[in-house]
Amino acid sequence: MMEPNQSAGQSVYQLAMGAEFGRLQPELQDYFSLAAANNDGGAQVGIGTGVFDVAGCPRRILRPLLRLASLDLSLFPEYGRDVPFRIENRPGTNSQARPFLTAVRTLQFGGITRIMEDTTWWEDAGDAGTRGGRLVDSLGRSGLIRTGLRCGAGDDGRMRLVSRGTALAAGRLGVPLPRLLDAAAFTEQWWDPAAGLFRIRTKVLQRQFGTVLEYDGAFEYRLEPAAPTPPPRSG
């Protein structure tokens, strides 16, 4: 079990990757090291602004369901190109002093604004009996939908994240969805030195419907002072 003070000052991604974190591009190390306890003692929030070349759900048949999911700020039904967006990364610590990171993405589809929110936290062996610990991601404002999250550095220094094993939250536990209904998300993020921008590419795939959601684009990123983030209900 990891003692709370061992995670102080480390981000959820540093805890999950250990020494492998140093294989990421230096710019990615800066991006993914955002934690509540900074060296200067001040709270910070990461702000990204950019444009998705493409974003949304390409399957019209699924859009009514995603419209319902948008009420919880988890998914959205629109599909478009050249979509302006903003992301806010807000770090915090839970009651056991373990870190979490809440990401709030705001997308502009013409006159429609959509928000997609998720919180990632570190769950060590003492929390759930998992060997070596793991990352857990909860989707939406309610945190009702949870998945396991794996991350690693590619040979090119890019960050690669895979989210699998969807479950419905039930307190500290989760009730797995049937395999037929499960979906997996694949994300790749990297620094483009020629453009001076971060780039990100995500696809959410489902066994029956193929691509359920996707977004692909580039953004600028900066840190700003921020008030502490309250712990998530699911963390």
Side-chain angles (χ1 to χ4, degrees), residues 129-179:
T130 53
R131 183 178 181 182
R134 64 170 185 162
L135 287 179
V136 178
D137 190 68
S138 60
L139 190 61
R141 180 155 291 178
S142 69
L144 179 63
I145 300 175
R146 296 181 183 175
T147 64
L149 183 63
R150 292 183 300 160
C151 52
D155 293 338
D156 51 6
R158 298 185 180 192
M159 172 68 96
R160 292 183 170 88
L161 302 107
V162 179
S163 178
R164 294 182 185 273
T166 308
L168 297 179
R172 293 291 296 174
L173 303 176
V175 179
L177 290 181
R179 189 175 180 185

Side-chain angles (χ1 to χ4, degrees), residues 50-80:
V51 176
F52 286 131
D53 299 328
V54 62
C57 174
R59 307 291 183 185
R60 292 183 179 275
I61 192 173
L62 296 177
R63 291 177 186 173
L65 179 61
L66 298 189
R67 193 175 302 277
L68 290 176
S70 71
L71 299 177
D72 191 40
L73 308 185
S74 56
L75 300 170
F76 51 88
E78 285 75 22
Y79 187 78

